[in-house]
Amino acid sequence: MRVVYMGTPDFAVPALEALCDGGYEVTLVVTTPDKPVGRKQILTPSAVKTAALGRGLPVYQPKTLKTDEAYERIRAEAPDFIVVAAYGKILPQRVLDIPRYGAINIHGSLLPKYRGAAPIQRSVIDGEAQTGLTIMRMDAGLDTGDILRPLVYPIGENETAGEVFDALAALSGKLLTETLPDVAAGRIVPVKQDDSLSTYASMLTKDEAVIDWTRPAQAIHDKIRGMDPWPVAVTTMRGKRVKLRQSRMTDQRSGKAPGTLIAENGRLYCVCGDGRLLELTQIQPEGAKNMESKAFLAGHDPDGIILGRDD
């Protein structure tokens, strides 16, 4: 079967590789234009472009799919499927209508929950016990198409969004290559989404990353997990920014003010709004590298400092 594949970040690479390894004829890979990265603003290809070129696949990088040029370029491939995974651009209806068996999307949630750009991160931040993948038939809406095949993934209590991201990406290829033949053969009955159950997962912002220590410990722990690897949860310690990359729930409590640091037996804790102590297991002071709390405590005596205050 002929496939036009559309994707951009690391998440979309395993599915592309699975298609190639599974004998599908990937005739064209569509990805976003190279972007300037880093302080020197070096033009850098997407992860999907790098993977595609490594396999000798043709790559197309339009700024938009709304032009006649983009439409004709994709139509010329006469694809059986268009497969989309985290591409990052809207597909016009006429592009969705090109493939013989339709346009198929790999989405990182159990739809209709967490439609939108950051489903994995939002599910972790919200403290969900599980998330997953949904293979869906695309329509003109935002992740509103009929569900073809879901896969459930349990989220570990200390698992970060980055870890869930990697796990789902690794599972996506097998799920996709198991689904496409069933779609082509008409063996799958599409299931319409219940819009009344839908939620929206907007993109994360750096402003959201600031920790409010008056919140319950579980909510703070979930936020730290969900903000890793980007934009990373932050707080202040004596006026300087500190990044918090990993934490762990405890059953310990304290009557001290929310945000108060407690160093005990080589471990670092912070008092949360519900009185519970949250263990901070990885911390990155301003201007320093990320480190385990034990290493941090070897060079700092933070006991009694209140995070989020300038004094």
Side-chain angles (χ1 to χ4, degrees):
M1 284 188 282
R2 295 171 61 84
V3 175
V4 170
Y5 189 81
M6 300 182 179
T8 298
D10 293 345
F11 179 82
V13 171
L16 172 60
E17 294 178 336
L19 288 171
C20 295
D21 294 340
Y24 290 85
E25 186 181 359
V26 180
T27 66
L28 183 66
V29 174
V30 182
T31 189
T32 52
D34 296 358
K35 291 184 178 181
V37 174
R39 293 181 179 178
K40 294 185 178 180
Q41 294 291 279
I42 298 173
L43 276 180
T44 304
S46 71
V48 163
K49 178 181 179 179
T50 300
L53 293 179
R55 291 194 175 248
L57 301 174
V59 174
Y60 180 46
Q61 297 176 270
K63 291 182 179 180
T64 176
L65 295 178
K66 297 178 180 180
T67 64
D68 290 340
E69 176 192 327
Y71 170 73
E72 294 297 340
R73 178 69 181 88
I74 295 167
R75 190 173 71 90
E77 300 299 322
D80 294 305
F81 286 101
I82 289 177
V83 175
V84 180
Y87 174 49
K89 292 184 181 295
I90 298 296
L91 275 64
Q93 186 62 51
R94 65 174 180 168
V95 172
L96 295 176
D97 292 339
I98 290 173
R100 179 182 179 187
Y101 297 117
I104 306 299
N105 179 248
I106 308 168
H107 186 73
S109 80
L110 296 174
L111 292 170
K113 293 187 69 174
Y114 298 105
R115 295 172 177 172
I120 296 172
Q121 299 94 319
R122 294 292 178 190
S123 65
V124 176
I125 290 171
D126 290 349
E128 297 281 2
Q130 65 179 28
T131 184
L133 294 167
T134 301
I135 306 291
M136 56 169 282
R137 190 186 298 279
M138 298 181 71
D139 62 15
L142 178 63
D143 301 324
T144 56
D146 292 350
I147 295 170
L148 299 173
R149 183 164 288 159
L151 180 146
V152 176
Y153 178 83
I155 302 175
E157 63 179 353
N158 294 315
E159 201 167 10
T160 66
E163 291 168 337
V164 176
F165 187 97
D166 291 343
L168 291 180
L171 293 168
S172 64
K174 183 174 185 293
L175 185 65
L176 175 67
T177 54
E178 289 175 348
T179 302
L180 293 186
D182 289 342
V183 173
R187 291 191 293 264
I188 293 181
V189 178
V191 177
K192 290 193 174 298
Q193 295 188 41
D194 184 346
D195 291 341
S196 69
L197 300 177
S198 70
T199 58
Y200 178 64
S202 61
M203 292 182 66
L204 299 182
T205 67
K206 289 186 176 181
D207 290 342
E208 292 180 86
V210 179
I211 295 295
D212 176 2
W213 295 105
T214 65
R215 299 287 311 282
Q218 186 67 60
I220 295 174
H221 176 57
D222 294 339
K223 186 168 188 175
I224 291 172
R225 295 188 301 128
M227 290 285 170
D228 186 82
W230 191 91
V232 183
V234 296
T235 187
T236 55
M237 181 185 298
R238 288 179 171 165
K240 294 187 176 181
R241 287 170 63 86
V242 175
K243 294 181 178 180
L244 304 174
R245 292 192 171 270
Q246 289 188 18
S247 56
R248 185 180 295 117
M249 291 292 295
T250 77
D251 292 326
Q252 298 169 255
R253 293 185 173 273
S254 171
K256 295 182 179 180
T260 302
L261 288 175
I262 297 174
E264 188 177 280
N265 298 324
R267 297 177 182 273
L268 181 63
Y269 304 90
C270 189
V271 182
C272 301
D274 55 359
R276 294 183 69 173
L277 299 187
L278 182 67
E279 183 179 0
L280 306 179
T281 56
Q282 288 191 16
I283 188 168
Q284 184 176 356
E286 187 173 310
K289 294 182 179 180
N290 184 45
M291 64 186 76
E292 301 291 331
S293 58
K294 186 176 181 179
F296 172 77
L297 289 171
H300 301 80
D301 181 18
D303 198 39
I305 292 175
I306 299 179
L307 296 179
R309 297 200 331 191
D310 293 334
D311 54 352

